[in-house]
Amino acid sequence: MSLGTRIKILDFLRATAVVSMIFYHFVYDLGDFGYVNMVTVVNGYWKLFAQTIGCSFLFLSGVSFWVMASKEIDWPKYFKRLTILISAAILVSIVTFIQFGQAFIFFGILHLLAACSIFAIIIYRLPVLLLLALSIGLLVLPDYYHTSQYYDGDLFSTRYLAWTGLYNGRTGSVDFYAFMPWSSAFVLGLALAKIFINSRRSTNVSPLSFKEEKNNALLTVMYWTGRNSLLVYLIHQPILYGLFYAVQKVSG
């Protein structure tokens, strides 16, 4: 979607999620470098905060997929974006393996977004009610599976099948988003977008757009951040980590 037809509110909300994620990673790095208690950062309300950010990315990606698919899917752009997403996910896995070893990210938020992008091609034409039911099913199925008398613990005994959400052990990964239940947020975003975003609506989409404010520097930065959220995601943590490392070296 070109800049002129992009729904501004999606860019703004995506940017808000990015800013929230940067803030959380800043606090996480404070814990990693010993300035705050790391146990506090990865548990309780902080963990809930991080998971809420992840769900918001997934939800907004579901909405964005319908914005793209409601008119007609541009397949070259779709496959280009999917290739970039998969490549970024692989890069994250490689870098975190170098840094964390066996605690590396083998199925994080980018891996899940790539999987959801593929899954969406299969389901996006389903009626809204079926999509809503699917969202609920993806959310509750892992709990049912683990508590069911038919649960076969050996079937998903390796952590590398944990991405399904049917793994009942600890992954040891520093960041993990299983397909179930987390993809339910993506499917919910897709379903609600089908309700509220009419595919026949003019590309102006003024009811869902922020009024253009050319002189508002904050909005300009937010819109840019929302449009380039993947780039910001990839570069922000190395920058933060590098800054903390430099400060620690200078102060030490």
Side-chain angles (χ1 to χ4, degrees), residues 157-212:
S157 59
T158 169
R159 74 167 187 164
Y160 295 108
L161 287 177
W163 67 269
T164 62
L166 301 180
Y167 174 75
N168 204 21
R170 295 180 62 85
T171 66
S173 177
V174 294
D175 186 38
F176 178 66
Y177 283 87
F179 186 79
M180 294 185 288
W182 299 109
S183 63
S184 62
F186 180 96
V187 179
L188 179 62
L190 175 59
L192 294 183
K194 291 190 74 169
I195 296 174
F196 294 108
I197 300 178
N198 190 329
S199 62
R200 297 179 178 84
R201 183 174 292 161
S202 166
T203 56
N204 185 38
V205 293
S206 56
L208 294 178
S209 301
F210 283 107
K211 183 179 179 180
E212 190 69 31

Side-chain angles (χ1 to χ4, degrees), residues 22 25-27 29-30 32-33 35 99 235-252:
I22 293 173
H25 282 164
F26 173 78
V27 176
D29 289 344
L30 284 174
D32 200 26
F33 280 87
Y35 296 106
Q99 183 177 4
I235 68 173
H236 84 280
Q237 183 65 323
I239 292 174
L240 282 177
Y241 204 86
L243 289 174
F244 272 107
Y245 183 80
V247 169
Q248 193 173 70
K249 282 293 185 181
V250 172
S251 61

